[in-house]
Amino acid sequence: VSRFEGITMAPPDPILGVSEAFRADTHEMKLNLGVGAYRTEELQPYVLNVVKKAENLMLERGENKEYLPIEGLAAFNKVTAELLFGADNPVIEQKRVATVQGLSGTGSLRLAAALIERYFPGAKVIISSPTWGNHKNIFNDARVPWSEYRYYDPKTVGLDFDGMISDIKAAPEGSFVLLHGCAHNPTGIDPTPEQWATIADVIEEKNHIPFFDVAYQGFASGSLDEDASSVRLFAARGMELLVAQSYSKNLGLYAERIGAINVLCSSADAATRVKSQLKRLARPMYSNPPVHGARVVANIVGSTALFNEWKEEMEMMAGRIKSVRQKLFDSLSGTDKSGKDWSFILKQIGMFSFTGLNTAQSDNMTNKWHVYMTKDGRISLAGLSSAKCEYLADAIIDSFH
Ligand SMILES: Cc1[nH+]cc(COP(=O)(O)O)c(/C=N/[C@@H](CC(=O)O)C(=O)O)c1O
């Protein structure tokens, strides 16, 4: 008797499944605006020059393939916390940050979810509505209850700040509040510095625990420091918090699966104990993380020349997205006669634009125009070239009407 016969087919992933459909499409005008992965103006994947330089140096050095410690490469853990908080941040020399290298952002979020499940029974996570498609899966599979706080306002195509604040206030005391550090996915709408201060006030008031997902540091504005300002504001208030990091986008290390979970604690002793429990959770999950990406990050940040070159390339990537945003806005405004206000395209930041297209309209984009995007109406501008903006504008205008 077959034991696996009863297993049903899983649905395609809302984001990664779009790329599979794109690859199957043979139409010459097809455009993949699904997965949040950077592409050049020629719509090709991009390996940063600084990554190639670091890898050549590593190859010459001839390094071994010994297991890393459960918590990952020490040199990486050091620089990743310094990049996030700032090397001169008191929390670093006070040794209050427990940092464990994770399997990129996803793995770091999942490890943090396992810590919450084990040490905060009954606590829940509140996540933005909408949020990154995989957040709900991660907390569901980690058996951590979650609910949503209002975030996107379709009327203004902006932030529903009042709704966000009242939902955070209404959450049970001691909830974990999942926040996108910068470049909110999928809306591309970030709180202003003043709004971040109010969000911090409310979280402090309710004894909630801030839990940042930082997957685009340096990629949103082009500046590593600017994109970390929300996290640093909360840290400066003396709050305990968690931060999941990823180097998939800002260093183009997607498939190397390099990231980290950072837990800022109130004392160095607590940080030591938290780190030991994160290790205890990681060992049975994947034992220890992959070494290559960790060495690439540590080597780049560890060398002034390479670090500066990385910053230049990050600005170049962020710059290309900003210019393609402007070009798309110009194409839409130039083509559309309905008088619709397209300025939201320019107000949004980071890799994505939340178009406001509904599921049926998104399907029209794909079925009629061969433009691949997620069903929530998100388009990844990283997959768009200036040359294709006119075509995309025609598709969007056609799909709206
Ligand atoms: C907000 C956010 N957090 C974490 C991740 C995880 O990335 P990792 O490669 O595990 O470090 C992603 C990836 N987002 C893009 C790709 C994906 O869905 O996995 C996306 O939204 O298209 C995010 O957008």
Side-chain angles (χ1 to χ4, degrees):
V1 63
S2 158
R3 317 299 286 269
F4 297 100
E5 199 50 49
I7 293 183
T8 57
M9 197 64 191
D13 181 81
I15 293 174
L16 300 181
V18 172
S19 297
E20 288 167 28
F22 169 78
R23 277 191 286 275
D25 190 329
T26 56
H27 196 273
E28 43 135 17
M29 293 300 280
K30 70 177 184 176
L31 199 48
N32 186 3
L33 307 183
V35 70
Y38 183 80
R39 296 288 178 265
T40 62
E41 189 59 27
E42 293 70 38
L43 300 185
Q44 294 306 309
Y46 181 63
V47 179
L48 280 76
N49 298 322
V50 72
V51 168
K52 291 176 185 167
K53 282 187 182 170
E55 289 181 323
N56 287 331
L57 288 172
M58 285 155 59
L59 217 53
E60 282 156 22
R61 210 174 296 150
E63 289 166 313
N64 66 44
K65 301 269 185 203
E66 285 301 292
Y67 284 134
L68 284 181
I70 298 170
E71 69 271 23
L73 182 71
F76 165 78
N77 286 344
K78 178 176 182 297
V79 297
T80 202
E82 290 174 356
L83 275 180
L84 180 62
F85 293 103
D88 55 353
N89 193 312
V91 301
I92 298 289
E93 42 102 10
Q94 291 162 5
K95 300 192 183 315
R96 289 200 286 123
V97 186
T99 301
V100 169
Q101 179 186 331
L103 304 184
S104 211
T106 303
S108 302
L109 287 160
R110 182 64 185 267
L111 190 56
L115 184 79
I116 293 168
E117 193 274 338
R118 177 167 292 182
Y119 287 96
F120 298 88
K124 74 173 183 178
V125 180
I126 55 172
I127 61 179
S128 63
S129 168
T131 193
W132 175 47
N134 209 21
H135 278 149
K136 293 174 183 172
N137 301 333
I138 291 167
F139 294 113
N140 283 337
D141 285 8
R143 288 172 177 52
V144 173
W146 54 268
S147 63
E148 295 181 295
Y149 59 80
R150 275 166 285 174
Y151 192 83
Y152 174 69
D153 182 352
K155 288 189 298 304
T156 63
V157 194
L159 178 61
D160 176 1
F161 185 64
D162 294 342
M164 176 183 187
I165 292 299
S166 63
D167 289 348
I168 291 175
K169 270 185 184 153
E173 182 141 342
S175 295
F176 290 83
V177 183
L178 189 62
L179 299 159
H180 298 230
C182 65
H184 184 270
N185 177 359
T187 66
I189 299 159
D190 285 353
T192 63
E194 298 71 30
Q195 288 173 328
W196 274 122
T198 307
I199 294 164
D201 292 342
V202 168
I203 285 178
E204 265 185 314
E205 211 178 282
K206 295 285 298 188
N207 292 317
H208 290 332
I209 303 170
F211 181 174
F212 283 92
D213 181 352
V214 176
Y216 299 91
Q217 185 182 357
F219 196 94
S221 68
S223 151
L224 282 164
D225 292 326
E226 192 177 323
D227 287 352
S229 50
S230 56
V231 172
R232 294 178 189 180
L233 177 137
F234 282 63
R237 292 192 174 203
M239 297 167 86
E240 292 184 314
L241 51 86
L242 299 105
V243 190
Q245 290 175 283
S246 165
Y247 291 90
S248 287
K249 293 85 188 303
N250 58 7
L251 197 40
L253 295 180
Y254 304 93
E256 299 295 353
R257 313 310 297 140
I258 177 67
I261 180 65
N262 302 271
V263 185
L264 173 53
C265 305
S266 47
S267 70
D269 186 56
T272 303
R273 285 181 271 113
V274 165
K275 186 164 182 172
S276 73
Q277 293 299 347
L278 284 168
K279 286 169 63 177
R280 198 154 69 97
L281 287 160
R283 171 66 167 151
M285 206 186 278
Y286 55 84
S287 182
N288 46 78
V291 69
H292 187 71
R295 283 182 176 143
V296 171
V297 175
N299 282 311
I300 288 172
V301 181
S303 139
T304 310
L306 293 178
F307 192 16
N308 289 336
E309 188 169 346
W310 176 27
K311 290 182 205 170
E312 284 161 20
E313 288 195 85
M314 223 166 350
E315 281 197 55
M316 179 278 292
M317 291 192 287
R320 188 183 90 71
I321 295 208
K322 280 180 199 145
S323 63
V324 92
R325 222 181 244 291
Q326 181 66 52
K327 190 92 175 35
L328 178 59
F329 169 77
D330 295 343
S331 302
L332 284 163
S333 311
T335 310
D336 187 28
K337 304 292 172 235
S338 72
K340 181 178 169 65
D341 176 11
W342 297 101
S343 60
F344 65 86
I345 300 263
L346 298 176
K347 287 187 204 125
Q348 294 168 353
I349 184 166
M351 203 173 247
F352 306 108
S353 180
F354 209 53
T355 62
L357 288 166
N358 62 34
T359 307
Q361 292 166 331
S362 301
D363 285 341
N364 182 65
M365 293 284 285
T366 304
N367 301 335
K368 181 174 176 185
W369 295 85
H370 303 277
V371 173
Y372 288 79
M373 56 191 284
T374 47
K375 298 272 179 262
D376 56 8
R378 181 192 90 172
I379 56 172
S380 167
L381 294 162
L384 179 63
S385 62
S386 299
K388 295 258 185 172
C389 285
E390 285 295 338
Y391 178 79
L392 178 59
D394 292 343
I396 291 174
I397 292 163
D398 173 68
S399 303
F400 258 119
H401 306 123

